[in-house]
Amino acid sequence: MSNEYHDAQPQETAETLPQDKRASAFALLPLITMAEAAMLLDFSPEALVMIDAVGTIVLVNEQAAALFGYSKEELKQRSLEMVLPERFHVAYAAHLLRYVSMPHPQPLGVSLDLVGRRKDDSEFPVDISVRPVLLEQALHVMGAIRDVSTRRRLEQERLQQMEQLVLQSTLINLAHDAIMVRDQISRVLSGNQGAAELYGWSEKEALGRVTYTLLKTRFPVSRAAVDEHLEREVQWEGELVNTHRDGRTVVVESRQVLIRDAQGVPKAILEINRDITQRKRFEQAQTAVHTELLSQYTFLQQLLDILPSSIYVVHGHDARLVMANRAAASIWGAVWPPGQPMRAFLEEHAIRIVDTQENPIAPEGWATMRALLDGETVLQHQEMILRPSRSTMPILVNAVPLSTPHWQSLGVPEHSGYPQSPQSGEPLALVIHQDVSLLKEAEYFKDEFIGIAAHELRQPLTVLKVAVGMLMRQTAQGHGPRLALWQQEMIGDLDVATDRLVHLTDDLLDASRLQAGQLVLHCTSTDLVSLVQRVVTRFQKTTTRHQMTLHADPPTLQATIDPQRIEQVLSNILTNAIKYSPLGGPVHVTLAAFAADNEVEIQVQDKGLGIPRHQQARIFGRFMRADNAQATGISGTGLGLYLCHELVEQHAGRLWFESEEGKGTTFFLRLPLVPPGDVYGILIEEDKEKIKRTRIHREPNRKSKNDAKSF
Ligand code: ADP
């Protein structure tokens, strides 16, 4: 567009025009009077203005004056420049000069961009047709002026619409979706590049062909139903299965819109199809995998449900349930829903986890939490489930940490509908509970029986021991008939056997008292060094093949202990050191005080059989004997170390050992010089309770590697 005043064609000027040609042009001009001109302007509906040859407005009608915002009087005898923007003045002057030299009717607005200026300085596009006239014998120019703002705006809008349409059609063509327009009987009216690429038919080839025949369309419902839906709802969406020109199946997500004309008559259908073939294939593969995993999971669940032990898998730091078998529900006495944290579940059902003495175990101490939080493999951990009814169930818990890959290999689909699928990196644990109520009951009866049997044996054994002793003494003093050598030997054997029987029944009685919590210590201040010395000396007398040494520092040491029980412990350890060093050898006993800790440590070292590594963790258990000891034929009951361990713990001390098979064993016995609470050197009942509880609360797995007891 130009803002210059210029003609559509190059015009001839007065200088270039021959004189005769100019004269004849003037001769042809209409001749009117001022009165006629004024009348013409007043009656015309158009905005008219009459100027003379130098551009002075001679006449102007109301419409023209109003167009520029002036009154007629304001415009009369003024230069036409008044209604032109200043920037056009020079061009206008030149143009007028040219025009008056060769006047001719000319619609100025054609192909020109003319601009008028109103009184308020606002500008507007105008269309001016000019016509030369001879007014009162002089050349004048009459101009009809039209405000073309509206027309220009409409033209502008139309242009923009056109541009938009061009843009839209380009976009449609470039769109990845297949876009087609079909008529009422499904013949292709147009199709974009996307349609050509998706189906292999160019727009030209497809034009006029029926879409569903061309594309061998399979509808999810009948075609008629789709048409009916379109007719009723104007649009339809669904999946269609089409066929590519080369026979390939193309699954599309189709969106169809019915287009009606102004009268509402259906004209065409716009169909936009998106290729979802890949997505569909992927979805199908995923569904197959999901189904497979789900069936594996169901199978796994069925297997677990058959098992009598309670099994569950938990994940996260709050032990949310992933899966549990049927037996788990009967152990807990409630169904634990997947996704619920263990604590919330227990609290909801008022279930508590306690130890064998019914003291609550803190959540960090539960085998399940230890496996989850510390990654610890907890085996045979003893817990009790305390239900709201106060009924208790003793259980053995095995808790094993798992890693997430383990979980995936279990075949549980990540999004299987289970509320919480473990995320990789989250702790995961498999927990197995074994109800040991029956075992506990049997053990109780066994303890009862042992207690009664030992008690009943004690009296006849005492009689036997006294009788044998008397027989030996009387014979030695020459009372009664003289005995043959073999008879004397027999009485000697009888004495040894009676001693062993007494020892055994004592151990059995102690064990059953310990089980029943009835073993009471009688602590007094004792010189531990002389006690150890006495025991060592006594034992040295029983053997010639072993060389016993004692190294004690300091030479005397007072400790508040039950001297009989500590002697029993030492005797048992020394008996073992001798017994399990069948080839003889040194047995070193060391006593050292740890003033800072207010403790004393006694070590007994031998160079005997040693204890096999795999049995060390259980050696303090009742009736526990190592394989190598049994294989050598050395007799024993497996009760001694159990009693030692319990007695030392009752003193609030510790007993442990280091051993290597074939090289020997060292036992370590640590005792507090004054047991906790024994301020006045007298152990009151309450303190004994405390010591007992200390013992009970210690958990075997958390202590040194070899001081665990079997359950
Ligand atoms: P036992 O009556 O069998 O000696 P204990 O409870 O005293 O019972 O000991 C348990 C087991 O520990 C023994 O049977 C033996 O296998 C092992 N044991 C104990 N002390 C020693 C030791 N000093 N050397 C090797 N093995 C030992």
Side-chain angles (χ1 to χ4, degrees), residues 380-627:
Q380 305 290 312
H381 186 247
Q382 193 182 349
E383 289 175 2
M384 301 250 279
I385 293 175
L386 192 61
R387 304 226 185 97
S389 58
R390 301 292 305 166
S391 67
T392 51
M393 179 186 283
I395 50 169
L396 273 186
V397 191
N398 289 311
V400 188
L402 300 174
S403 61
T404 319
H406 271 102
W407 170 249
Q408 276 149 1
S409 70
L410 280 176
V412 180
E414 278 266 326
H415 305 288
S416 55
Y418 288 85
Q420 305 278 334
S421 294
Q423 303 299 307
S424 56
E426 260 197 320
L428 193 69
L430 171 75
V431 186
I432 302 172
H433 283 177
Q434 194 188 345
D435 174 6
V436 286
S437 314
L438 290 177
L439 274 178
K440 280 293 263 185
E441 210 171 318
E443 198 183 26
Y444 172 76
F445 286 127
K446 187 188 73 188
D447 288 342
E448 280 266 302
F449 170 76
I450 291 174
I452 294 167
H455 192 263
E456 291 305 313
L457 278 174
R458 197 69 174 82
Q459 204 200 353
L461 271 177
T462 313
V463 174
L464 202 65
K465 176 76 186 158
V466 171
V468 171
M470 221 149 96
L471 201 60
M472 285 173 79
R473 265 196 312 278
Q474 294 297 327
T475 308
Q477 288 167 10
H479 300 296
R482 203 179 152 75
L483 296 179
L485 193 61
W486 65 270
Q487 285 171 320
Q488 285 177 24
E489 278 174 5
M490 245 180 131
I491 293 172
D493 289 349
L494 212 59
D495 189 42
V496 173
T498 316
D499 273 347
R500 281 181 53 195
L501 266 175
V502 169
H503 190 70
L504 173 64
T505 45
D506 283 350
D507 279 358
L508 283 173
L509 267 174
D510 282 347
S512 73
R513 279 192 202 117
L514 271 171
Q515 285 297 307
Q518 287 166 354
L519 197 139
V520 180
L521 297 182
H522 301 285
C523 293
T524 53
S525 182
T526 311
D527 179 4
L528 206 53
V529 179
S530 64
L531 184 148
V532 176
Q533 226 154 21
R534 200 172 59 244
V535 179
V536 171
T537 312
R538 177 157 53 87
F539 272 88
Q540 182 62 85
K541 284 184 189 152
T542 64
T543 173
T544 48
R545 282 179 299 140
H546 302 86
Q547 302 79 46
M548 308 195 75
T549 59
L550 169 65
H551 181 264
D553 182 21
T556 60
L557 187 66
Q558 288 300 126
T560 308
I561 52 164
D562 182 331
Q564 268 185 0
R565 291 302 182 185
I566 293 301
E567 187 168 335
Q568 183 183 349
V569 171
L570 257 177
S571 302
N572 196 68
I573 293 173
L574 283 170
T575 306
N576 285 349
I578 294 170
K579 198 162 67 164
Y580 297 111
S581 307
L583 301 177
V587 176
H588 298 300
V589 182
T590 322
L591 184 147
F594 292 89
D597 299 332
N598 220 13
E599 284 181 344
V600 58
E601 186 175 292
I602 302 166
Q603 294 183 12
V604 178
Q605 186 190 46
D606 68 57
K607 304 282 177 197
L609 295 180
I611 302 169
R613 177 168 289 277
H614 70 280
Q615 289 179 310
Q616 290 183 1
R618 287 176 292 134
I619 212 73
F620 289 115
R622 278 196 297 166
F623 307 110
M624 178 62 204
R625 302 205 65 215
D627 293 342

Side-chain angles (χ1 to χ4, degrees), residues 135-184:
L135 178 66
E136 305 294 351
Q137 299 300 330
L139 177 65
H140 282 73
V141 181
M142 187 163 70
I145 307 158
R146 229 171 266 151
D147 178 356
V148 291
S149 311
T150 314
R151 201 182 74 202
R152 287 281 160 82
R153 203 189 66 241
L154 289 174
E155 277 172 8
Q156 190 74 19
E157 280 174 9
R158 208 169 306 133
L159 206 69
Q160 279 174 354
Q161 276 173 1
M162 282 297 293
E163 279 172 357
Q164 223 161 6
L165 278 176
V166 171
L167 187 72
Q168 274 171 4
S169 76
T170 314
L171 285 178
I172 286 174
N173 219 21
L174 289 176
H176 224 62
D177 292 338
I179 303 173
M180 287 192 304
V181 180
R182 54 186 169 85
D183 66 13
Q184 275 275 274

